[in-house]
Amino acid sequence: MENIRYDLITAVPEMIVLGMAMLVLLVDLFLKQSNRIAIYVLAQVTLLVAAYVTFSTHTPGVGYAFTGAFVDDTLSDVLKLMIYLGTSLIFVYTRQYIQVRNMFCGEFYALVLFSVAGMMIMVSGQSMLTLYMGLELLSLSLYTLVALDRDNPRATEAAMKYFVLGALASGMLLYGMSMVYGMTGSLNIADINNALMGGAKIHSVMILGLVFIVAGLAFKLGAVPFQMWVPDVYEGSPTAITVLISSVPKLAAFAFIIRLLVQGLQTLAVDWQQMLMIMAVLSIILGNITAIAQTNLKRMLAYSTISHVGFVLFGLMSASINGFASALFYIASYVIMTLAGFGIILLLSRKGFEAEHLDDLKGLNQRSPWYAFLMLIVMFSMAGVPPTLGFYAKFTVLQAALQAGFLWLVVFAVLMAVIGAFYYLRVIKLMYFDEPLDHHPIQAPLDMRAVLSVNAGALLVIGLMPQGLMSLCVYAVLGSLS
Amino acid sequence: MVEYFTQHILSFSIWLPVLAGIVVLLTANDSKPNATRWLALAGSIVSFAVTIPLYTHFNFAEGGFQFQEGFRWILSFNINYHLGVDGIAVPLILLTSFTTVIVVISAWEVIEKRVAQYMASFLIMSGLMIGVFSALDAILYYVFWEAMLIPLFLVIGIWGGQNRVYATIKFFLYTLLGSLLMLVAFIYLYHQTGSFEIVDYYKFPMSLNVQILIFLAFFAAFAVKIPMWPVHTWLPDAHVEAPTGGSVVLAAIALKLGGYSFLRFAMPIAPDAAHYLSGFMITLSLIAIVYIALVALVQKDMKKLIAYSSISHMGFVTLGFFIFNHLGLEGAMVQMVSHGFISAAMFLCVGVLYDRVHSRQIEAYGGVANTMPVFAAFAVLFAMANSGLPGTSGFVGEFMVILGAIQVNFWYAFLASFTLIFGAAYTLWMVKRVFYGEIANQHVAALKDINKREFFILAILALLVLALGVYPQPLTDMTNATVTQLLSHLAQSKLGVVAPVDMGL
């Protein structure tokens, strides 16, 4: 009895989010169109309450629940708080966008909350089954969200593509997990680790299983050579959904990798290190070079994401606490940058007009110097130019990789970063050096303007004082890995 | 209050112009550009005034770092906000803050489009460049070094000429490439020493192979910035397209960042590699001095000609560095400061003509001296200084470097002294074609002589060029102790102090 109570208490935030998602669906039925704003408030309150519970029950220790299938440690708490914050920003940025496109409905908020619950379960999963369940909850919600604008053929196509490839990836992941289960006799991460630590010879089926697991994870992360879906889905989805797909789920994917590869399969580190290394190098090459050829802003950011994923893998492949903390720092920085970047795109879109071509940014400095400046920070941050946050992100992963002895790979990554800088500079060129094509005044609600300013400004402020975020990442990783 | 100021002069020097820039941006009002101009001028003058105590309170006998201040900044990586200056940094800091005042005045009526952003860019850039000259922590230095690219990138791109986008992106990517390799070197040194303090790197022994790689990584960053042949190609493009202020800052200060950094990083951190590669460096310098001077001779565009002349003059600086004697190093320092004044003045002169005729081509002019006699007098003076006429500052630096070089190898000095011929040839030939002869066309005939504002800035620069040419003592006094200390450090080998640890090399 005591156990059940402890189990339930540990998973209170997840239950809140799931329960509220259903409540949002129900309440939505009884609301008139003019009162719909209530579900927005409800969704924000959900995140706030969940954040409060997660924060107030936080301890530096590790607690297991549901017979070890669910864990509450520093990593899970820190990541959950980041996910709440990110999602809350997404709600602010997308409200006007979905309102003018008739997508402002209970389903949107319920599905986003379901995906948040999925991410939370991924973050806390300590058994392959829990992890997989969380992943599927997230993925299925995202597939549906992409197709939410059901009369839009581009979005439907993107949803189809996302679903088919995503299902394939899930299949591979599950197949790999089944092999690991077959060889170790357990689904539980800790038991898998113990079974492998025994010193018995590693059977080649384990390696095969590992290959499938890494391939599945790479699909979800969007690392080369499993990146095909990324540009199409980014471009095809309504921007309000793209901002979700491209940002917070990466935090959950990071936790997934830490749980499965680091906590579960650390004995095979030498093997997955090599796989991550190949994917990191390919992602950085393909992401940076292909992005140059794009004219669609969302597609360009998709390739930019691929190259950022490559840098994250650089941190992970270092296979040290330093490396994992750096990778987490990189992902957190990436999420802040991406949210701000898509926030600007959402800001420039209006009824009947999607700001998604690079040319839509032309002359932004003359239309609005402030937002041009914010986008400038975002772009320099993505390019890794100090004093923005993006510089410290690149700095931390590169120093981790260098510490692990990958000197020449680091030099290579740095050369690729210069190529990458080109297309970020092109965006700045359009905003600052060209004349505007579009003279519509920028309309956005006050809360969105304020939050967006804080979000993009944070890139500069954290860039000047990065210690806090760095300590947080080290704290999160140390607490659950040592 | 006064005590607080004297303890944080460097922080004030860095952040005051940055703050002024932000204030200018925030209070900008497009309908009242004059208010913005006066505010920017006030900001730049105060920022300049703040740096003057660096000279008056300087301890000339001390070769090490002075005015040190700092706090722990990023604990995770042991990165400190650590500032300090020595005899080679202070002259360049003063040059920076002074040039900013000149740039603000020179842009007065010339810049009509987005005045606040223009002025703010230069003020912020000034602070960041002073940061580069005073940072004693590698990452802090790197942050300033890269951050100053952002305003310069915007200045060239927004207010530049026809082909500005190509020029500014080329400039940015070239510089970024070199800088990132330097960052890798810093991270490597950090993992070896556990610190980002530059002074710790000075003491850290390394094998020759490691030193050479470190030196080459620094070389990639600094050679691009100075720039040395053959990685100089971004400079003529950037200079030609940049607005006058951008050209002035590029030539007068940005190039010095590279020269300064050789003295601060590449040479003392890897002294054995510096000796080992000195032949290579001297060869590149001599190619720059002779070959680039010949290239300058055939230029049709005035700005391009001055840009090539800058590269050629900076060849003297690197030559002075890598002959490893007192005269050479001190001469290189004088040359850097002197080139700051002369190239700034030359670009301002081109700016004066460009504002009136809107052409930089030499053939668009002729007989300007007839319509602009006062201006022509200034231009001829600066041209003489640029070609190294005794009595001007251009002579002192070049002469010291040649004297230094002759102690090492006669042929170095022989080749280097060609510059006195070529420099005179390309500069004076340009002056002849632009200023003398018959009045070439109605544009020239309609020219009005310089106004008070232009007279003022050119006169100040002319005084400085002459003063430094006749009496360079204050400058050499300042650099003397530091140069002595640097040379004694460079003379000590880092090899064989302890068994060097190689990591992945």
Side-chain angles (χ1 to χ4, degrees), chain A residues 322 365-366 369 376 380 385-387 391-392 395-396 398-399 402-403 407-408 410-411 414-415 417-418 421-422 425 428-429 432-433 463-467 470-471, chain B residues 73-77 79 114 117 139 142-143 146-147 150 153-154 157-158 164-165 168-169 172-173 176-177 180-181 183-184 187-188 190-191 196 213 503-505:
Chain A
N322 181 2
N365 184 35
Q366 290 172 44
L376 173 102
F380 275 122
V385 177
F391 163 67
Y392 298 95
F395 168 74
T396 48
L398 292 181
Q399 64 82 21
L402 198 59
Q403 193 179 33
L407 176 67
W408 297 109
V410 168
V411 171
V414 150
L415 297 182
V418 176
F422 171 75
L425 290 183
I428 296 166
K429 173 235 162 202
Y432 277 84
F433 308 163
L464 293 174
M465 291 172 283
Q467 182 58 47
M470 280 179 186
S471 306
Chain B
W73 179 28
I74 303 173
L75 302 161
S76 299
F77 296 102
I79 298 170
R114 283 170 262 167
Q117 290 186 359
I139 293 297
Y142 185 81
V143 167
E146 288 275 278
I150 298 176
F153 172 77
L154 294 175
I158 298 180
R164 58 184 194 270
V165 173
T168 196
I169 289 185
F172 195 97
L173 293 182
L176 184 67
L177 175 65
L180 281 168
L181 292 173
L183 179 67
V184 176
I187 297 176
Y188 176 85
Y190 164 69
H191 282 309
F196 276 113
L213 284 171
M503 189 184 70
L505 285 174

Side-chain angles (χ1 to χ4, degrees), chain A residues 337-353:
Chain A
M337 294 189 274
T338 309
L339 286 175
F342 277 105
I344 302 270
I345 299 179
L346 288 166
L347 181 88
L348 296 177
S349 303
R350 55 180 179 271
K351 194 173 172 65
F353 175 75

Side-chain angles (χ1 to χ4, degrees), chain A residues 419-434:
Chain A
I419 295 178
F422 171 75
Y423 60 85
Y424 299 119
L425 290 183
R426 191 174 54 183
V427 172
I428 296 166
K429 173 235 162 202
L430 292 170
M431 292 191 302
Y432 277 84
F433 308 163
D434 289 349

